């Protein structure tokens, strides 16, 4: 009897595997790509697009320092690369952008010229950095243009941004990087226009490759609010790009297909456009 049970279990596992195969590789909309100046020579745009193909990534959200990298990538594949505008450039960095006297002029000029769907990724390490006239202007620009802010910060700076303007749409980078699932859940609960992407969190979401029960509960409860990202913030990340995507796909495959597809690409498509990617691999 036990032997028959084992055979049956093995057969069921095979069937499940076959079903997953029939559904095809889960496409990933990578919501955290940077294409910074150091990447351009070792990874020309054609090579980056090959990596997207190899990783099963039909669409990305991209920003860079300087912004020209984003524009190059977007020009190489306009249907594939959704550009967002980073405040950083020569002399303006993650630690001083919020006090940059020329910020408004720079952002307004670029936003007028380009098809940006957001501003970011920018960092707010200290919550008080959110309380400058420059940041206030950034929130106004986002609202005027109905575009998203891609914010790398803990929970408190996100609260400050929503205090400035409750109607903001915020894509919270790295789900707060080190914020525990309880905090991520309470933020999603409190702010209806907060979304989050999971770059750098695969180790927390699925320690040892197994999806953590608390994160699974969050994914079920806030199924429309999670997205996937890799964060190619330094050049060596491109060398690992396929693996970086795969570590997310691996835990998504432990969810029901419908939920996995929402987090993998449907939520991002709803926010940034791109049609139905389900047929792509
Ligand atoms: Zn980041």
């Amino acid at each position: 009897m036990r032997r028959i049970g084992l055979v049956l279990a093995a057969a069921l596992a095979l069937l499940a595997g076959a079903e997953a195969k029939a559904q095809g590789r889960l496409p990933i909309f990578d919501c955290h790509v940077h294409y910074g100046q150091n990447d351009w020579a070792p990874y020309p745009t054609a090579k980056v697009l090959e990596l997207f193909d190899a990783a099963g990534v039909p669409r990305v959200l991209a920003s860079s320092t300087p912004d020209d990298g984003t524009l190059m990538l977007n020009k190489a594949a306009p249907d594939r690369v959704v550009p967002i505008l980073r405040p950083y450039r020569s002399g303006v960095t993650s630690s001083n952008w919020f006090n940059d006297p020329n910020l408004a002029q720079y952002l307004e000029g670029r936003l007028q010229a380009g098809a940006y769907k957001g501003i970011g990724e920018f960092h707010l390490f200290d919550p008080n950095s959110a309380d400058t006239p420059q940041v206030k202007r950034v929130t106004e620009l986002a609202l005027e243009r109905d575009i998203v802010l891609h914010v790398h910060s803990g929970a408190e700076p996100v609260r400050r941004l929503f205090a400035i303007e409750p109607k903001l749409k915020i894509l919270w980078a790295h789900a707060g990087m080190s914020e525990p699932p309880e905090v991520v859940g309470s933020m999603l609960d409190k702010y209806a226009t907060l979304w989050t992407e999971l770059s750098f969190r695969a180790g927390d979401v699925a320690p040892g490759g197994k999806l953590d029960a608390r994160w699974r509960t969050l994914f079920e409860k806030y199924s429309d609010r999670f997205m996937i990202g890799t964060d190619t913030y330094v050049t060596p990340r491109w060398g690992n790009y396929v693996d970086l995507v795969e570590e997310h796909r691996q835990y998504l495959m432990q969810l029901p297909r419908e939920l996995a597809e929402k987090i993998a690409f449907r939520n991002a498509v709803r926010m940034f456009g791109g049609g139905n990617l389900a047929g792509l691999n």
Side-chain angles (χ1 to χ4, degrees), residues 211 216 220 252-262:
L211 181 59
R216 177 190 287 267
E220 287 164 353
L252 289 174
M253 295 304 286
Q254 296 167 48
L255 295 167
R257 180 75 181 197
E258 197 185 329
L259 177 55
E261 286 191 356
K262 281 184 167 187

Side-chain angles (χ1 to χ4, degrees), residues 32 34 86 121-123 150-153 173-174 177 197 199-200 231 233:
H32 198 138
H34 298 302
R86 207 168 208 198
E121 178 204 19
F122 57 71
H123 298 72
H150 191 195
V151 185
H152 175 140
S153 74
H174 322 292
M177 191 60 100
E197 49 88 357
S199 52
F200 269 104
D231 194 357
Y233 75 106

Side-chain angles (χ1 to χ4, degrees), residues 49-121:
L49 296 177
E50 278 171 24
L51 284 174
F52 292 157
D53 286 339
V57 170
R59 185 158 286 250
V60 304
L61 184 71
S63 61
S64 61
T65 310
D67 180 52
D68 298 6
T70 302
L71 298 182
M72 279 159 54
L73 206 53
N74 172 256
K75 198 174 167 204
D79 295 336
R80 196 163 191 184
V81 177
V82 178
I84 60 172
L85 177 58
R86 207 168 208 198
Y88 310 164
R89 58 209 190 276
S90 177
V92 179
T93 66
S94 60
S95 51
N96 66 12
W97 68 273
F98 40 82
N99 285 320
D100 170 24
N102 301 315
L103 187 70
Q105 194 191 10
Y106 174 75
L107 294 179
E108 283 164 27
R110 289 248 164 186
L111 287 172
Q112 216 119 58
Y116 302 97
K117 298 275 182 112
I119 300 172
E121 178 204 19

